[in-house]
Amino acid sequence: MKTRFRIEAGILSGKFKLDEGGYRPKSSASAPQIGVGVDFLFPRFNKNISLQALVLLSHWDMKESRARLDVTTPGYYKMKFTMGEFSIGPAYRFLSRSKVSPIIRGGLCTCYEFGGKEEHYNVELNSGLFGYYAGAGVDIDLWKYTLRLFANYEYRKNRYSPAHTISSV
């Protein structure tokens, strides 16, 4: 077994559905995201398959006009929190010996919101979310390093309301 460590940075963009009363306001936001990960490679078994584990950190700062959310009371919805995420799953690299190689991946993810403050959302922050992810991209070999460009779709749900997230890094 070989290991390959990596550092990731990008933008996480998400849509949130929130239950409040009899209606479901929807909010969208983007946040910077950084992370570290490791790929476990099994060259004796298969050169194209790996197991990926990743820890990510992002900071969300959302403010939405209530009028934009189709809510009748004036003012704003505000929410700030930091989110830590852990994901693990298999990846398949199609052309492992090529300098440019398409890659697909998927797996399970869990995240925890901490340091949260909210106004008027009536949601429980500092809670865990669980879900799955699927993604595709390309690995480009540069000397002894690899540049990975990819996009993921993530779906997360907690016990309060579903949270859909699309991320790209």
Side-chain angles (χ1 to χ4, degrees):
M1 178 173 72
K2 285 175 55 177
T3 55
R4 183 181 296 168
F5 294 95
R6 67 181 197 263
I7 298 171
E8 293 192 4
I11 300 294
L12 185 64
S13 176
K15 292 183 181 178
F16 301 87
K17 291 182 183 176
L18 304 168
D19 268 324
E20 186 184 302
Y23 45 87
R24 300 176 69 84
K26 295 177 185 169
S27 180
S28 298
S30 295
Q33 184 178 52
I34 58 169
V36 294
V38 63
D39 291 355
F40 299 100
L41 304 143
F42 311 100
R44 287 186 169 200
F45 171 67
N46 188 323
K47 292 181 189 215
N48 299 338
I49 295 175
S50 65
L51 178 67
Q52 299 180 338
L54 182 63
V55 175
L56 295 162
L57 195 62
S58 58
H59 181 74
W60 295 84
D61 188 356
M62 298 185 285
K63 182 178 178 182
E64 294 278 354
S65 145
R66 290 187 187 205
R68 185 183 176 288
L69 298 174
D70 295 328
V71 180
T72 55
T73 52
Y76 287 90
Y77 283 92
K78 296 178 189 175
M79 190 163 35
K80 276 186 183 183
F81 59 90
T82 301
M83 185 169 68
E85 178 180 335
F86 174 74
S87 62
I88 189 163
Y92 186 83
R93 191 172 171 183
F94 288 94
L95 307 169
S96 61
R97 294 192 176 138
S98 175
K99 289 218 178 255
V100 177
S101 174
I103 186 169
I104 58 171
R105 60 194 220 166
L108 301 174
C109 62
T110 183
C111 64
Y112 188 79
E113 303 156 349
F114 53 93
K117 289 193 238 174
E118 61 90 19
E119 282 181 38
H120 312 296
Y121 272 107
N122 295 332
V123 295
E124 182 77 25
L125 291 178
N126 306 320
S127 62
L129 299 156
F130 300 94
Y132 60 86
Y133 71 94
V138 64
D139 279 354
I140 303 168
D141 288 334
L142 307 168
W143 303 283
K144 64 179 185 176
Y145 301 102
T146 301
L147 174 65
R148 179 171 289 164
L149 304 173
F150 66 91
N152 279 349
Y153 172 79
E154 298 176 8
Y155 173 82
R156 298 186 200 118
K157 184 175 182 176
N158 68 10
R159 63 180 178 210
Y160 305 103
S161 63
H164 297 270
T165 303
I166 298 173
S167 68
S168 61
V169 178

